[in-house]
Amino acid sequence: MTTLLLAPVYAGGVQLGAYVLERLDPEERERILRTCSTNVDNLAAGRWETLLSSSLVVEEPMPLAYALLLLAVLGYAEYAYGAWWTAGVFALGHAGATLLVYGALRAGSPRPETRRALDVGTSYGFNAVLGALTSALPRGPVRHAARAGLLAVAACPLLRRGRTFTDLGHLAALGLGIGLSVGLDYLSTAKHRKIT
């Protein structure tokens, strides 16, 4: 029997933290969020600890549907591959996508409001774990279709006029997760529970 601990503790902790932040004085709440944000200004100033802190806070409580989806994806990953694997993929996706977006923004000379925009949340790590979980699908057309479909859905926001840098981050995180999944297809001999 596998005990799931990481997924409910993480999702519940982030949600509880959001409710606590919501009850703070608006200026204090804003200060905490800005301190945790992986925006261009913070990273350019060498505040690398934000690569961790930004994954632990959200701007507002997560909608129930998203919180349950986050719990389901992280929970299944923990069940199928283990807590350390899930945490590692989440961290790789969160930090990797953040650094890719940071590099793209630095190269493009972003506007001041973009440089100091709030950039916190669970979505980059979530997307990476979701992409990596495609290795648990049956091999062949189902797995390929799932990967292509997820990438297409993540790429759609980049085609609209009001796109943001986080849209690029979601696609980058998903790509990192799918890349890891493809690596698992070819390099891993480990047995894990597959979706059937």
Side-chain angles (χ1 to χ4, degrees):
M1 177 94 177
T2 302
T3 302
L4 297 180
L5 252 156
L6 176 70
V9 167
Y10 174 73
V14 168
Q15 190 74 319
L16 180 62
Y19 286 118
V20 169
L21 278 175
E22 202 174 46
R23 281 152 183 74
L24 291 178
D25 174 70
E27 287 181 11
E28 179 64 10
R29 177 183 170 278
E30 181 79 7
R31 186 194 65 75
I32 291 170
L33 288 172
R34 292 218 171 272
T35 299
C36 294
S37 177
T38 50
N39 59 34
V40 173
D41 284 350
N42 277 347
L43 291 176
R47 296 185 191 106
W48 300 107
E49 70 278 2
T50 61
L51 289 172
L52 172 63
S53 64
S54 63
S55 69
L56 301 175
V57 296
V58 290
E59 291 183 55
E60 56 191 31
M62 297 178 284
L64 180 61
Y66 177 76
L68 291 174
L69 187 59
L70 175 68
L71 185 61
V73 167
L74 296 183
Y76 185 78
E78 188 176 355
Y79 168 77
Y81 295 99
W84 286 110
W85 184 92
T86 304
V89 172
F90 188 98
L92 169 74
H94 180 77
T98 297
L99 292 173
L100 287 169
V101 168
Y102 169 67
L105 288 174
R106 284 291 300 259
S109 301
R111 295 188 308 269
E113 60 270 16
T114 301
R115 290 185 61 87
R116 59 179 181 267
L118 283 179
D119 190 16
V120 296
T122 63
S123 60
Y124 290 0
F126 166 81
N127 276 285
V129 173
L130 181 64
L133 277 180
T134 60
S135 66
L137 294 169
R139 286 188 180 271
V142 170
R143 193 177 297 181
H144 298 313
R147 288 173 177 157
L150 286 171
L151 288 169
V153 167
C156 281
L158 293 173
L159 303 176
R160 71 176 201 267
R161 183 179 299 274
R163 65 186 173 268
T164 67
F165 65 86
T166 57
D167 296 326
L168 175 61
H170 294 149
L171 180 60
L174 184 67
L176 288 169
I178 288 175
L180 180 61
S181 174
V182 170
L184 283 174
D185 288 352
Y186 294 105
L187 301 175
S188 177
T189 58
K191 299 292 182 200
H192 54 270
R193 297 172 178 95
K194 296 204 179 275
I195 299 170
T196 55

